[in-house]
Amino acid sequence: MKKIVLLLFLSVSALSASAQVFSGMSEIDKSKKEGVYTFVNTQEKYARASWKAYLSKFGKVIEGKNGTYSSPDLKVSGISDSPMILISKVSEENKKVKLFISITIGPDEYIQTGHAKLTETSNWIEDFIKIVDLEEGVRIEENKLAELNSAQSKNTKQAERLIRELDSNSRQISNLEERLKEAKIEKEKILTNQVQNKLDQKTKEEEIAAQKLAVESAKQKIK
């Protein structure tokens, strides 16, 4: 009974491990290829760079057009002891990034559904998917950091602007206070001049009245 449970557990684990990799066909350089494919949780440009770097660990990589990558001497010990030929393509389909891989072990022997090395190939591909997920996690955190730095930069600029505005406002207040002092002094001068003006008017009125009397007195003498 324990053996049956263990076998069932291993079978489920094997299915789970290869759940992200599917068999299929794709056209690469105007030629239909048999192989496997998966979807990668990142942008196409990042998937291409990561896939090229991953392949370079296992053999020579030739980069073609439109996201195609090939290797004439791929060596993955878990899949085959002999060099294999790989042709792959990274493309975007229905807003998903798809990685198609065609691996030839021997003449017309492609790794796909039913092949003895499909599980090992799926594991090798899923190791790449894990790397991409980790790299994408780094990018997400870096983007968060960049957003925080950008927000902090905006806050810093706003703080500097507020300091400049406060300094300008202080200068305006100082200028207004100075003008207010000058206006008060000017007001005192005006009030003083006004008092003096009234005195001068009264003096002139008295002088005019006295002069009128003098004129009348002079006229009386003629009569």
Side-chain angles (χ1 to χ4, degrees), residues 51 69 75 85 93 141-142 156-157 168 175 186 196 217:
W51 179 238
Y69 301 88
K75 297 176 183 178
I85 298 174
E93 294 184 8
E141 297 305 323
E142 287 177 339
T156 300
K157 289 180 180 178
S168 175
N175 291 335
E186 184 66 23
Q196 185 61 48
S217 176

Side-chain angles (χ1 to χ4, degrees), residues 28-29 33 62 70 78 107-108 114 117-118 137 140 143 148 159 161 169 171 185 193 198 201-202 204 206-207 219:
I28 301 178
D29 296 332
K33 301 292 181 183
I62 300 172
S70 60
D108 297 324
K117 293 297 181 178
L118 178 61
I140 289 172
N143 287 337
L148 290 172
R161 178 175 58 79
N169 181 261
R171 288 197 302 271
I185 294 172
N193 290 336
K198 288 180 179 179
Q201 284 187 45
K202 186 177 181 179
K204 291 299 179 184
E206 291 175 351
E207 290 178 352
K219 286 180 179 179

Side-chain angles (χ1 to χ4, degrees), residues 145-161:
L145 179 59
E147 288 175 359
L148 290 172
N149 284 332
S150 177
Q152 179 67 0
S153 177
K154 289 180 180 178
N155 286 336
T156 300
K157 289 180 180 178
Q158 184 181 24
E160 292 173 349
R161 178 175 58 79

Side-chain angles (χ1 to χ4, degrees), residues 13-23 36-41 97-99 101 118 121-133:
S13 298
L15 287 171
S16 176
S18 59
Q20 292 180 305
V21 180
F22 312 93
S23 296
V36 294
Y37 67 91
T38 188
F39 294 100
V40 187
N41 185 31
V97 177
K98 179 180 178 181
L99 169 61
I101 304 166
L118 178 61
T121 302
S122 297
N123 292 337
W124 178 68
I125 294 171
E126 287 183 359
D127 285 341
F128 167 68
I129 294 174
K130 291 175 184 177
I131 292 172
V132 171
D133 288 342

